[in-house]
Amino acid sequence: MKVTDHLRNANGKTLFSIEILPPLKGKGMTDIYKAIDPLIEFKPSFIDVTYHREEYVYKKRNDGLLEKKSVRKRPGTVGICAGIMTKYNVDAVPHIICGGFSKDETENALIDLSFLGIDNVLLLRGDSIKSEGSFKPEPNGNAYALDLVEQVVNMNRGVYLDDELEDVSSTNFCIGIAGYPEKHFEAPNLKTDLKYLKAKVDAGADYIVTQMFYDNSKYFEFVDLCRENGINVPIIPGIKIMTTKKQLNILPSVFHIDIPDALAEAVEKAKTSDQVKEIGVEWAIQQCKELVAAKVPCLHFYTMGNPDTCKRVAEKVL
Ligand code: FAD
């Protein structure tokens, strides 16, 4: 079932969903089950699976020279989605990114998803790889998530890259996209970022999932601004429970978000890692209670390999 159908059928009740990461290469599906099993009792409406593009490493050859090699540390998004749908009978949402793919490769991946009965996708640009200063699309690849939305919408209309195909079937993808309450880090300002967000929605995106935030007022202001700017699709808040002291610096530097003073001070003062987890869980509970009271469409948890803290929050708010 499509994410938008889940939201419609909820009749105003706040749904629960999670995002998981594919395991590191060499690990099996057991790691995925360990990430999902503790949360299945809360009946997630859908489970997102992230996509991780290649990285470049230098390996020493026998002749002593260095060889540049492309490695993918977390492959398997499509297979994991099919596995989740079979084992749990829960809709899976694979993340599809522009980076590292030509439009042809993307089309082929979308055809595979369609054959597997996966009709949800979250469409993203992806970030630059470490060796690049800024994001660079592949030759004949999509440069922005907007281009990817247009490609999927075309396929939903039966328009493939090869316009000589005859008697084609249309795909039937429900399209999610990303939104940033605290602005995407490359955008000169929030107004410009919203202009491009609206372009994705006008092109056919069905709903937005936000970047994580720790101050609900950022989300509420973002939703108001979206509505004022004619963005009327559901906006699902993304929640990440803080679990370590290091995240006080890592989360702002990786995700370009602010940590409110009160949370930062409390985590700073914590003496043990268990105390940090307590603070993170309590903060998320308060955040989620306020979001549920505001009737947000769904609470979407970035579990990042930590289902137990997510379970503790879910127990208190769902
Ligand atoms: P876009 O919408 O393309 O925007 C990128 C930047 O370009 C923005 O600053 C925007 O304002 C600007 N822009 C957009 N369109 C145009 C245009 N036409 N002309 C000029 N400027 C434009 N990354 C992964 O690699 N894998 C994942 O699985 C993944 N999952 C994510 C899930 C969520 C919910 C979120 C919020 C992010 C996720 N990301 C993931 C990270 C994401 O790929 C990065 O944040 C990336 O830098 C931007 O992606 P986007 O889809 O928002 O890009």
Side-chain angles (χ1 to χ4, degrees):
M1 194 156 97
K2 293 180 172 188
V3 167
T4 41
D5 291 331
H6 284 288
L7 298 175
R8 210 168 293 119
N9 294 347
N11 286 322
K13 183 180 175 286
T14 299
L15 300 178
F16 166 68
S17 62
I18 58 172
E19 177 189 286
I20 59 161
L21 275 62
L24 287 166
K25 193 181 249 181
K27 304 268 180 193
M29 273 303 266
T30 347
D31 283 40
I32 293 293
Y33 302 147
K34 277 189 203 152
I36 298 176
D37 282 349
L39 300 171
I40 212 73
E41 65 179 288
F42 304 104
K43 302 193 171 28
S45 300
F46 52 95
I47 298 177
D48 277 52
V49 184
T50 55
Y51 189 90
H52 298 260
R53 65 177 293 189
E54 79 283 9
E55 293 172 30
Y56 287 98
V57 292
Y58 287 88
K59 294 219 163 158
K60 205 167 192 176
R61 293 190 331 201
N62 289 341
D63 59 8
L65 293 174
L66 291 177
E67 189 182 0
K68 191 177 174 191
K69 281 204 131 187
S70 155
V71 287
R72 283 196 42 221
K73 289 191 176 159
R74 294 179 184 272
T77 302
V78 171
I80 291 168
C81 284
I84 287 173
M85 294 192 26
T86 308
K87 178 168 165 79
Y88 297 102
N89 197 20
V90 174
D91 288 299
V93 183
H95 291 191
I96 307 286
I97 63 172
C98 305
F101 292 101
S102 67
K103 289 183 188 172
D104 279 297
E105 287 165 333
T106 299
E107 185 174 90
N108 293 339
L110 289 161
I111 289 170
D112 279 346
L113 290 171
S114 185
F115 286 157
L116 285 165
I118 295 173
D119 51 11
N120 290 291
V121 282
L122 191 82
L123 303 182
L124 305 139
R125 187 197 68 181
D127 284 319
S128 57
I129 48 176
K130 282 188 193 121
S131 50
E132 294 171 349
S134 58
F135 178 81
K136 298 206 174 35
E138 289 301 297
N140 193 27
N142 290 307
Y144 292 103
L146 171 62
D147 306 320
L148 197 46
V149 172
E150 285 169 351
Q151 184 174 7
V152 176
V153 167
N154 275 338
M155 288 175 71
N156 280 350
R157 291 184 185 135
V159 178
Y160 289 72
L161 295 172
D162 179 353
D163 55 12
E164 286 176 10
L165 294 179
E166 283 175 13
D167 195 19
V168 292
S169 303
S170 305
T171 56
N172 187 26
F173 289 110
C174 172
I175 300 172
I177 51 167
Y180 303 82
E182 297 177 62
K183 182 181 96 58
H184 183 261
F185 71 103
E186 291 167 22
N189 51 52
L190 190 53
K191 196 173 164 206
T192 312
D193 209 17
L194 282 171
K195 180 177 85 179
Y196 291 125
L197 182 63
K198 181 165 175 355
K200 290 190 279 187
V201 173
D202 290 348
D206 296 297
Y207 68 98
I208 296 166
V209 183
T210 76
Q211 183 58 279
M212 64 185 74
F213 55 88
Y214 289 88
D215 175 353
N216 283 351
S217 68
K218 301 260 168 80
Y219 168 83
F220 293 130
E221 284 163 17
F222 177 69
V223 173
D224 287 347
L225 271 175
C226 284
R227 303 311 180 218
E228 281 166 25
N229 282 278
I231 299 171
N232 292 314
V233 294
I235 302 177
I236 297 176
I239 308 290
K240 157 85 182 89
I241 304 164
M242 192 171 291
T243 50
T244 66
K245 219 175 231 192
K246 276 192 194 154
Q247 289 173 352
L248 276 184
N249 303 111
I250 292 174
L251 298 177
S253 85
V254 175
F255 299 105
H256 309 277
I257 50 150
D258 268 1
I259 309 291
D261 278 351
L263 177 58
E265 276 172 24
V267 170
E268 207 64 80
K269 278 188 199 146
K271 298 237 166 3
T272 64
S273 53
D274 279 351
Q275 278 175 9
V276 175
K277 269 192 195 155
E278 283 308 309
I279 294 162
V281 165
E282 195 45 44
W283 189 274
I285 290 172
Q286 296 315 322
Q287 246 196 303
C288 291
K289 281 186 172 166
E290 192 183 21
L291 291 167
V292 171
K295 298 197 181 314
V296 299
C298 182
L299 294 172
H300 185 69
F301 285 86
Y302 299 115
T303 60
M304 293 186 182
N306 240 312
D308 297 337
T309 48
C310 183
K311 180 180 164 88
R312 289 182 53 201
V313 175
E315 275 164 353
K316 288 283 159 64
V317 295
L318 294 172

